[in-house]
């Protein structure tokens, strides 16, 4: 495997990781900020209050994004396996 191909594969994998994790992280961030704002406005200082809404929002986004995530990962894996078959890339383990 030449150096340019390895760098290209690494770049594609990092971009894919960011593309797949960004919606979930943004939803968790927004829900956390909204709950914190409500806690500050109502002066309810319960630490466990943020967990349930944030967990439900993250699970909801994961369920909605699952087809997109699976398609992206499937496409990347298919391209990677096709590259391995055509280039006969040897990977040292």
């Amino acid at each position: 495997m030449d150096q340019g191909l390895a760098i290209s594969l690494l770049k594609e994998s990092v971009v894919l990781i960011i593309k797949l994790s960004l919606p979930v992280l943004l939803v968790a961030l927004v829900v956390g900020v909204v709950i914190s704002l409500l806690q500050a406005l109502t002066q309810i200082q319960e630490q466990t209050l943020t967990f349930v809404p944030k967990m439900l929002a993250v699970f909801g986004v994961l369920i909605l994004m699952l087809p997109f995530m699976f398609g992206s990962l499937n496409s990347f894996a298919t391209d990677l396996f096709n590259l391995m078959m055509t280039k006969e890339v040897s990977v040292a383990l």
Side-chain angles (χ1 to χ4, degrees):
M1 178 186 298
D2 62 338
Q3 200 172 20
L5 181 61
I7 291 172
S8 173
L9 285 174
L10 241 129
K11 179 185 170 216
E12 285 182 39
S13 63
V14 168
V15 167
L16 182 65
I17 290 169
I18 291 171
K19 187 169 65 169
L20 295 180
S21 64
L22 191 63
V24 177
L25 292 175
L26 284 177
V27 166
L29 176 73
V30 168
V31 170
V33 167
V34 168
I35 296 296
S36 295
L37 183 64
L38 288 174
Q39 282 182 333
L41 290 174
T42 59
Q43 294 183 355
I44 298 173
Q45 298 301 323
E46 180 64 32
Q47 295 295 325
T48 60
L49 186 62
T50 61
F51 291 127
V52 174
K54 196 182 295 187
M55 189 170 53
L56 290 175
V58 166
F59 283 146
V61 168
L62 282 175
I63 289 171
L64 289 176
M65 297 289 294
L66 194 62
F68 168 73
M69 289 178 171
F70 179 73
S72 297
L73 283 174
N74 190 18
S75 172
F76 181 73
T78 303
D79 292 344
L80 190 61
F81 289 140
N82 287 337
L83 180 69
M84 286 170 45
M85 292 303 232
T86 58
K87 297 280 186 175
E88 295 182 12
V89 177
S90 63
V91 178
L93 297 176

